[in-house]
Amino acid sequence: MHGIDESGGGESVVMGEEDDFYKRCLPSLGHFPRSDASIAVALNELDAMLEAEDGTEEDVSHHSAQHVEKPPSGAQVSTREQGVGSHPVDFALEFPRICIVTTASLPWLTGTAVNPALRGAYLWNQGHHVTLLVPWVKREEQGNIFQKGVEFDSEKDQLEAVRTSLSARVPFDITWGDEKDEDGSGSPRYHIRFYSGKYAPALGSIIPTQDIQPLVPQDVSCIVLEEPEHLTWYHSGKRWIRAFDSHVPVVGVMHTNYVDYARRMAGDAASVTLKQLNKFLCRQHTHKVIKLSAAVQKLPREEVCFVHGVSEGFLRIGKSVKAGEVVFGKAAYFLGKALWAKGFEELLDKMEAHEYVCAQNGKETIRVDVYGHGKELEEIQNESSTRGLSLNFLGPKDHLSEDMAAYRVFVNPSTSDVVATTSAEALAMGKWLLVPRHPCNAFFADFQNCLVYENDDQFSDMLIYAAHHDPQPLSESEINRLTWECATDRLLLCCSETTTERSKRLGFERVACKTSWLGYNVGYGVYSIVTKAIDSVVGSIQTSQSERVRGRLRPPNKDDGLQSHAL
């Protein structure tokens, strides 16, 4: 067992090596009587109260789910996606210093390490002072996240590796900053700083073990929280939107569909609880939440906008395809981490349906090459063999490997992603992209090489067609939409349009909301006192509401695994 010392003031959080994270940490799965009001219900009640405190309804922009889920064929690209220079704002003056906080660090090749680091680089290249805060884990835990043989004895050693890795991914030279020039004066520099973290094996990610807020530069003008829910599951201390000057927007970017993972791994009860917890935390800590797609749960003050780009290397391959320098000599492939939750469940089901459709109609079965590795690879391979599927498992492979350019079509039936980076990379390489009609694929749906299916017959027909026909060269507008420059432009526009005004509403309900947050944050020791205060205050003006809240938000027992929640 590992103890995580939350220096922000909460008690230590005990992480079990073998326990399922969701089953251990989400109280509604057993630590709370299911016949009684669960913590998910209580969180929903608290969130409703906080929404009333804000004085606003859910602020869902015109980029929300109902507008992007199924783009019509030939639809106009929104102004936000038209490209760099589509607006009159000088963002370098509006946000001279930007701080990005994320949950992973290079050289771990995961999306929450790579994309925030690239975001910082392109923000710096557009004239901003940038500070990137990333986790540092002890050497004995590094084998869980880095490639074999990659270890660091100190933050300084890892910092050099991060800089080297990032420099190789951008087409410009970065001016790095150090402690001597963190006051924001002089020419823009890119600073990288570490906060203490601990790898949680059951979660497969890093949990912060210190209060990150003191590491943020004092003169910050915009804060981007990559995975705001993940960063604040164990956070104790001030709310992020109250820890800095009132004019500083705190904007979250949702990378991961944790609710879907919880449903797959631990069932509906875990999913519902985590959904309410994430909603509660995002309201507490962000002025706006940017969802990369509408596949993520509904959240307070949300906006759906794809603010990631594609590395220059993939775009170079796409330009080579356009120039006729690449010959498509292979058919179809899938690339991803070998976990059932990462699209393999859907891949096997669709390939089984494809073979059935082909057998019924006398059509050719298309074999799909599969690249990737992970702890469930052997189980996936055995299931594929049992079903007799036309899948070739070829081990891990870098998507930028020279021989990957020869494939015509990237097959990605996953519906668990928020937006699949590999799908964007495949489009940038000039390939066909075969995906289901789903919110996670909305950004790609109007690209001319994106084939969107809605049933098994369509999947099979489109796979056969794409395997035998070359895709169209990317248009200049499509190339531009995939660049990090354009993605950075979209992010800054979202930040610029964020409202940071604090509610002026007063009254007992507001006091109750603040007291609720205080009780939730302080933790187990004073919880019963705080809840009595909440009941007393709310009960004086809204008896029925008090009855709904009373008894629904009790602290976990010390054996629950989240002693203080540190929220």
Side-chain angles (χ1 to χ4, degrees), residues 58-271:
E58 296 290 349
D59 180 15
V60 182
S61 79
H62 62 282
H63 293 277
S64 60
Q66 62 266 33
H67 293 284
V68 302
E69 182 174 351
K70 295 184 178 181
S73 177
Q76 292 290 320
V77 178
S78 69
T79 301
R80 184 153 301 184
E81 296 178 1
Q82 287 175 0
V84 180
S86 59
H87 52 79
V89 181
D90 186 344
F91 290 127
L93 293 178
E94 185 176 4
F95 303 124
R97 178 176 283 280
I98 296 176
C99 182
I100 301 171
V101 189
T102 190
T103 57
S105 173
L106 290 168
W108 188 7
L109 299 180
T110 186
T112 49
V114 176
N115 289 317
L118 286 170
R119 192 188 320 287
Y122 281 90
L123 283 167
W124 170 85
N125 198 43
Q126 292 188 16
H128 304 266
H129 293 270
V130 176
T131 298
L132 175 67
L133 301 181
V134 296
W136 159 264
V137 299
K138 295 179 180 179
R139 181 168 181 169
E140 55 266 27
E141 298 180 342
Q142 293 173 11
N144 294 306
I145 55 180
F146 300 143
Q147 295 178 343
K148 187 175 181 180
V150 177
E151 293 180 338
F152 305 100
D153 292 322
S154 68
E155 294 179 5
K156 182 179 179 180
D157 291 340
Q158 185 173 345
L159 176 61
E160 289 304 313
V162 172
R163 289 177 173 179
T164 300
S165 177
L166 184 54
S167 295
R169 296 171 182 271
V170 295
F172 47 80
D173 294 328
I174 300 173
T175 302
W176 301 106
D178 54 36
E179 294 182 1
K180 298 178 182 178
D181 52 35
E182 279 202 297
D183 59 358
S185 62
S187 60
R189 295 179 182 272
Y190 191 174
H191 297 82
I192 298 176
R193 299 184 65 184
F194 292 92
Y195 64 84
S196 298
K198 187 172 185 64
Y199 180 73
L203 180 57
S205 60
I206 298 171
I207 299 298
T209 61
Q210 74 169 94
D211 187 358
I212 302 173
Q213 291 171 354
L215 301 178
V216 176
Q218 292 297 310
D219 59 343
V220 67
S221 50
C222 180
I223 298 171
V224 179
L225 299 181
E226 312 275 357
E227 296 204 306
E229 78 289 31
H230 185 153
L231 285 168
T232 57
W233 280 333
Y234 295 91
H235 172 71
S236 63
K238 292 183 178 179
R239 300 161 65 186
W240 277 86
I241 59 174
R242 297 295 185 262
F244 304 92
D245 289 345
S246 60
H247 67 275
V248 176
V250 180
V251 178
V253 179
M254 302 291 285
H255 288 248
T256 307
N257 195 347
Y258 286 112
V259 171
D260 185 72
Y261 291 160
R263 179 186 61 80
R264 293 169 184 256
M265 297 170 66
D268 290 341
S271 178

Side-chain angles (χ1 to χ4, degrees), residues 336-339 344 372-381 395-396:
K337 191 172 183 179
L339 298 173
F344 276 91
H373 66 98
K375 63 182 181 180
E376 295 174 352
L377 177 60
E378 183 176 355
E379 182 181 336
I380 293 168
Q381 288 178 308

Side-chain angles (χ1 to χ4, degrees), residues 358-426:
C358 289
Q360 292 294 309
N361 297 283
K363 297 181 180 179
E364 173 193 8
T365 299
I366 303 300
R367 296 190 68 85
V368 175
D369 292 340
V370 179
Y371 296 95
H373 66 98
K375 63 182 181 180
E376 295 174 352
L377 177 60
E378 183 176 355
E379 182 181 336
I380 293 168
Q381 288 178 308
N382 290 339
E383 179 64 19
S384 175
S385 179
T386 299
R387 299 193 200 183
L389 303 180
S390 300
L391 294 173
N392 302 320
F393 291 87
L394 302 176
K397 176 82 76 169
D398 189 331
H399 208 180
L400 274 176
S401 297
E402 186 175 348
D403 56 342
M404 299 297 283
Y407 284 99
R408 284 190 177 90
V409 54
F410 178 62
V411 180
N412 190 2
S414 174
T415 57
S416 64
D417 294 302
V418 178
V419 175
T421 302
T422 49
S423 293
E425 293 168 349

